[in-house]
Every structure is written in structure tokens, then in C-alpha cells.
Amino acid sequence: MRLLRFLLITLLAAAAAMPAAAQIISSNETRFDPDSIRRDFKGQPYFGLYKDNYFIFGPAIGPKITKHNTNIKFQISIAQRLTNATLPWGTYLYLFYSQKCFWNVLENSMPMTDLNFNPGIGITKPLFVKNRYVGKLSLILEHESNGRDSIWSRSWNKVSLAANIIIDPNLSVAGKIWIPIIDGVNNKDILNYCGIYQVSVQAMSDNRKFSGAITLVKRKGWNFNYNTIVELAYRFSRKANQYFFLQYYNGYGEGLLAYKEFHSQLRLGIVIKPQLFSDF
């Protein structure tokens, strides 16, 4: 029932934000040109980025810095549209895949200590109001696991509802809530650490060079217990899609293997971002 209430709140918030965004976004904004966006969705099968693709390195914040708590974290994330035709209700079918890795390059043999695999399939609906693009809704069935067995195995499934809403050309908000299906024997309490929903705010400068985002992942329970992710990015040039990237992670559940361990980690590197939204 709690998850159902959160789901309803997310839907209502998205619906409330849509008319406001439609009044703010100008049809002259090339990034949000409705005809161009419709062509992207209705054209040939679209292959592109889903979440941020990054390669970052850095130490723990708080404890003494050692080779054991200083590592590389990288993520690869793609989306593939599976059908040419528009489906009912103006939706499109997508295959999603993300892979996140933690690589202890300072240790002997440079082990990759945790690999997280996150495939999914779902439908996405672009949102247009008064011929203005105001965001998108996605309903996704996804699986996440670390591909290991025995006591090191971690896995769960979830049905996720995600919304990305454009407030103005420099500001967008996003929310994602999921109904969990926990099949992993060794991570029955994963909601206490990896959460039950998340919200984020993303901002970008007028010249499109600077961007920043804050994401809060609500852990299970009624306490003020959030995992917090703060990200800053600086674009190399307006013709490139690569950014210098800083990410600060504070909380639990950063990786599946050690999801019960608290991490406060600062890393710096490079990110390649999707065209409009960075999904989380």
C-alpha cells in the first residue's frame, strides 16, 4: 500500500507539472523542438544512450585514504528502440541495458570487485502539450544482479515507473518508483539500503557548458534516510558530448555486492550524456 501511494503521488506530480512546463518552454528552443523529437521517436529504430556513460576515479571521504577505498567506477548504458511503429497511446518499445563496475586499480592484480548488470524492457511515451515537448514517461520491467553465485549472489527485479519533466530550458526534474520482486536469497533486505523510490533535479547553464544534478534515493522506512548523489559536469565544447565529471556518492547501495556498507566517495573523470535527460 505504501508503494501504491508513492506511485499515485508520482503520477499526480507529473500531471501537475506538465501544464506548467508547457507554458514555460518556448517552441523556438531547438533542444525541445517538437517536430524534431517526434522524428526521433517515429523514424528508424533508434539506438542511443540511456543513462550517463562515465569513467571516474577517486577516494573515500572521511576515513583514511588507502588503496582499498580508492577505486574506479564506470558505467555503460544504452537503449535500443525495438519497433518502427508507434504503439497504442503514442508509446514506443525499448530495450535498456546498463552495466556498472567497481575496479580497484591500486590493489595487486587490479581486481574488478563488483559488476552490476541491469537489463530491462519497457515502453516510453513522449509528452507533448500544446505542441510543446514537456518530458517523457517510462514503464520498465528490469532486472539487476551481480552475476555471482553462492553467498555472493545479489539479484532483484522491479517494475519501475519513471517520469522526466522539463520545467524550463535550464531545469528538469525526474522521479522513479518501483514495485520490487526480490528473488535473491542473500539480499532480502535490499529495500532498506537500495531504496523504494528516487527523485532528482538537473540544471544546466545558458551556454550548455555547465550542468549539475542532485539525486535522492529514499531507503525503506519513514525516517529521513536517503542515499544522496551529487554530480557536476563541464562540457569540453559545444560541439562535443563529453564532459569533465565529478560525482559524490553518500549512502548505501552504491554497488550490489556490498549494498549494506556505507560509502562516502568522491570521484572525478569523464562522462558522455544522453541528448536530453540523464536517467538514473
Side-chain angles (χ1 to χ4, degrees), residues 17-162:
M18 285 167 53
Q23 299 299 319
I24 295 171
I25 299 297
S26 168
S27 59
N28 294 326
E29 276 286 333
T30 56
R31 293 172 63 242
F32 309 111
D33 176 67
D35 293 331
S36 175
I37 290 171
R38 285 191 177 99
R39 285 195 298 270
D40 285 342
F41 278 98
K42 292 181 180 179
Q44 295 299 314
Y46 176 75
F47 178 84
L49 303 183
Y50 174 39
K51 303 177 183 180
D52 284 350
N53 286 250
Y54 55 75
F55 192 92
I56 51 180
F57 171 79
I61 301 299
K64 180 182 178 180
I65 296 175
T66 69
K67 63 182 181 181
H68 303 293
N69 61 21
T70 303
N71 61 15
I72 286 174
K73 176 184 176 184
F74 65 86
Q75 177 171 275
I76 300 169
S77 184
I78 56 175
Q80 170 70 51
R81 205 183 84 179
L82 296 178
T83 59
N84 283 326
T86 304
L87 301 179
W89 303 295
T91 60
Y92 300 87
L93 182 65
Y94 278 87
L95 180 68
F96 303 102
Y97 179 76
S98 300
Q99 183 173 317
K100 182 169 57 179
C101 177
F102 297 85
W103 187 9
N104 286 22
V105 293
L106 300 182
E107 295 183 4
N108 294 335
S109 78
M110 298 189 296
M112 291 187 177
T113 56
D114 192 13
L115 282 82
N116 299 174
F117 306 94
N118 182 206
I121 187 169
I123 54 174
T124 294
K125 178 178 176 58
L127 302 175
F128 297 93
V129 175
K130 296 181 180 179
N131 202 37
R132 291 176 172 86
Y133 180 65
V134 298
K136 66 178 182 179
L137 288 174
S138 298
L139 181 64
I140 307 169
L141 174 62
E142 53 185 316
H143 170 78
E144 188 174 16
S145 67
N146 64 349
R148 301 179 70 169
D149 58 8
S150 186
I151 61 172
W152 310 113
S153 174
R154 308 283 186 269
S155 67
W156 63 324
N157 306 291
K158 49 189 176 182
V159 180
S160 303
L161 177 64

